[in-house]
Amino acid sequence: MVDEGRPLFLQIAESVEDSIIDGTLSEQEQAPSTNELAAFHRINPATAAKGIAMLTDKGVLVKRRGIGMFVANGARELLLTERRSAFADRYLDPLLDEARKLGLGPDDLARLLAERAQTTTTKGTSR
């Protein structure tokens, strides 16, 4: 999990987000504690707490006093919306810019995408 180029607290937050998105952590389910995350990842509890605080600030996790942190209602949809937007910014916008330069329209892009998807499916791999 450790990506030397990114702060650990962001990696912790993303790891919890991934668990929510893939369904490992459901809404209203208790999230791992700061101490559990720190022990599992062998990091300082303050670092784990910073990642958890970030998720709390975003409304992904809610604190139940004396019990712990829980996945908020609507957290999965919030994260999916956020990630879809980031995906579009990171991948689709540059793709569309390059397509315009090459004179490719939406139908051309759809055809290319379908061809590539078919190619990777027949190879048994995904890109």
Side-chain angles (χ1 to χ4, degrees):
M1 172 188 136
V2 178
D3 174 359
E4 298 295 330
R6 293 179 54 233
L8 286 173
F9 77 92
L10 289 177
Q11 294 178 59
I12 293 293
E14 188 172 275
S15 173
V16 174
E17 287 178 350
D18 288 345
S19 294
I20 295 167
I21 288 171
D22 72 17
T24 304
L25 273 176
S26 302
E27 293 181 2
Q28 295 300 310
E29 187 174 344
Q30 188 166 8
S33 72
T34 298
N35 290 333
E36 290 170 333
L37 290 168
F40 181 79
H41 296 289
R42 296 186 175 137
I43 60 171
N44 185 313
T47 301
K50 191 171 179 180
I52 294 298
M54 191 176 106
L55 295 175
T56 303
D57 292 345
K58 281 174 49 171
V60 172
L61 297 178
V62 292
K63 183 175 184 173
R64 293 189 186 158
R65 193 174 188 101
I67 302 173
M69 302 302 287
F70 289 78
V71 179
N73 286 328
R76 184 172 188 273
E77 193 55 42
L78 172 77
L79 292 171
L80 286 172
T81 300
E82 183 180 87
R83 294 250 181 122
R84 287 176 182 139
S85 178
F87 176 82
D89 291 346
R90 186 172 180 185
Y91 298 105
L92 296 182
D93 290 347
L95 173 100
L96 292 170
D97 288 342
E98 185 66 16
R100 278 187 210 97
K101 291 175 190 173
L102 298 173
L104 299 172
D107 292 338
D108 300 315
L109 288 175
R111 187 183 72 259
L112 286 170
L113 182 60
E115 288 171 3
R116 286 296 176 117
Q118 182 62 36
T119 302
T120 58
T121 302
T122 58
K123 289 180 183 177
T125 60
S126 61
R127 287 188 180 188

